[in-house]
Amino acid sequence: METSMNEPNVPRSGKVSDEERLIAVILKRVALNDHAAFQQIYDLTASRFMSLLMKILFNDKAEAEEVLQDAFVKIWKKANTFRDGSPMAWMTVIVRNSALDLIRSKKRRIDTLSEADSTLKCNAVNSRSSER
């Protein structure tokens, strides 16, 4: 099936709504670095993504806002990679993965701090032992 820039290859039947088709068209414009289209995508989707992020990040609004901003930067940069299917599903994966990246990053910092703490405790015990 051949499609134009105004009609992305989004299935016309099934569970793809008119809103999904609209978002797909706008996302194709975002891929062309259309700032107004990017604002439209943000206006249409940000509140839904914020709700998702609040659940993933245990209602930490500051972190959710940070992740939302990061996710939209990724959407802007990767819009040209969207091909077929649901644009909401495609963007939701980006948003979810951005949240998981933050969680993994925090876990690495905690693990690093725990290792450093253990090393300090071990050094303190060894230092006390050698003083005796």
Side-chain angles (χ1 to χ4, degrees):
M1 167 170 31
E2 190 174 319
T3 59
S4 71
M5 186 55 69
N6 292 333
E7 293 189 26
N9 193 9
V10 177
R12 297 271 181 230
S13 61
K15 296 184 179 186
V16 178
S17 68
D18 289 340
E19 182 184 45
E20 286 269 5
R21 281 191 279 285
L22 173 64
I23 291 171
V25 168
I26 297 169
L27 191 56
K28 294 294 184 179
R29 289 180 26 226
V30 171
L32 298 172
N33 296 325
D34 182 331
H35 292 270
F38 185 68
Q39 183 65 52
Q40 283 182 290
I41 287 281
Y42 182 88
D43 292 344
L44 287 168
T45 62
S47 64
R48 287 182 245 181
F49 292 146
M50 187 65 174
S51 294
L52 172 65
L53 290 169
M54 291 293 283
K55 290 174 188 167
I56 294 172
L57 299 170
F58 304 102
N59 292 318
D60 187 323
K61 187 175 181 186
E63 283 189 345
E65 289 171 343
E66 178 184 333
V67 170
L68 185 66
Q69 179 178 349
D70 180 56
F72 271 101
V73 168
K74 290 175 183 174
I75 289 167
W76 171 259
K77 290 179 178 179
K78 295 180 178 188
N80 64 339
T81 66
F82 173 72
R83 297 289 178 247
D84 298 332
S86 167
M88 283 302 295
W90 181 82
M91 290 187 293
T92 299
V93 168
I94 292 172
V95 171
R96 186 203 63 196
N97 288 347
S98 295
L100 295 177
D101 288 347
L102 175 70
I103 291 168
R104 282 191 286 271
S105 172
K106 286 173 63 176
K107 184 180 179 333
R108 279 193 298 272
R109 281 187 293 223
I110 290 169
D111 290 347
T112 301
L113 289 174
S114 294
E115 288 173 20
D117 188 46
S118 295
T119 302
L120 288 173
K121 286 179 183 175
C122 185
N123 288 343
V125 168
N126 290 339
S127 176
R128 279 187 235 139
S129 295
S130 65
E131 291 174 359
R132 291 183 188 165

